[in-house]
Amino acid sequence: MRFDGKFGLVTGAGSGIGRATAIGFAQRGGGVAVVDLNGANAEKVANEIKASGGKASAIVADVTRPADIDMMFSRTLDAFGRLDFVHNNAFGFPAALRTGSPVTAVADASDEVWNHTLEVGLTAVFRSTRRALLIMRSQRSGAIVNTASISGLRADYGIAAYNAAKAGVINLTRVTAIENARFGVRCNCICPGAIETPLLVGSATPEMIDKFKEVIPLGRLGRPEEMANVVLFLASDLASFVTGAAFVADGGQTAKTGSPSFLPE
C-alpha cells in the first residue's frame, strides 16, 4: 500500500487517530497537511514526519469556522499542488462549556452542547467534504474518509448529540459516495469502537475503561494505528471498488446482540 506522488489532508491530526493516519500516509510515500486546532501538536507531528524524510505541512485550523476550512484547503494546494485524500477526523469539546455537560440525558441536554457537537461532528465534515469535492471532481479522482463511530450505528446512554452527529456522518458519507462516483471520487467512513486516544482516556475513569474492555471480545481498547490502517486502506488504490461503506473496527463489540449468553463467556 503506497501513496507515492499523492497528497492528503488530515484534520484532528495532532493526536490520536488523525496523528496515526497522517504519519502512516507519509510513511507510505504521500505528502500530508497536518491540520489541528492545537498548533503545537500540528507542528510536532509535521516535524516528526519531516525528520523521517517525509513531506508534511502543519496548518492550524478550527473546523467549526468556514473561513478556516477554506484556508486549510487553499494552503494544502499551495504546498502540494493537488489533493488526493482527505480524512475528516477532527472532534472535541471546548475546555469549558457555558451550559451543561457533553454527557447528559436528552431531557437535560443544553442547546449549547447539542449545537457544538453537531457543528464540529457533522457540519464541519459536510463543509470540508464540499470544499474537497471542488478539487477532486475537477481532478476526476480522490478519496474521502470520514471518522464516524459505532455510536452512529447504535445508541448510548448520555451522549445523544454525539450519537446523532456520528449517525449523520455515516449517511452523509453514503450520499457523497453515490453522488460523486461518476467523477472518480470515493467516500467511505470508519466506525471505531473504544480507542485509546486522548479524547477517550482523558474523559473516562479507569473503571469505565475496564467496563469497555469487558464488552469488547478482543478484551482491550483499540490503538490509533489500528484505525489508521483501516483509513489508509480506504484511501488507497487497494480499495478502488469500495465507496459508500461504513467500516466497523471495534474489536467485535457490536458483533454481539447484547442478549444473555447461552453459554459461559
Side-chain angles (χ1 to χ4, degrees), residues 104-109:
T104 185
V106 173
D108 303 314

Side-chain angles (χ1 to χ4, degrees), residues 221-248:
L221 301 185
R223 297 186 295 271
E225 292 76 16
E226 292 175 310
M227 299 304 103
N229 287 340
V230 182
V231 174
L232 294 172
F233 164 71
L234 293 172
S236 77
D237 292 338
L238 294 176
S240 56
F241 200 59
V242 180
T243 195
F247 269 62
V248 173

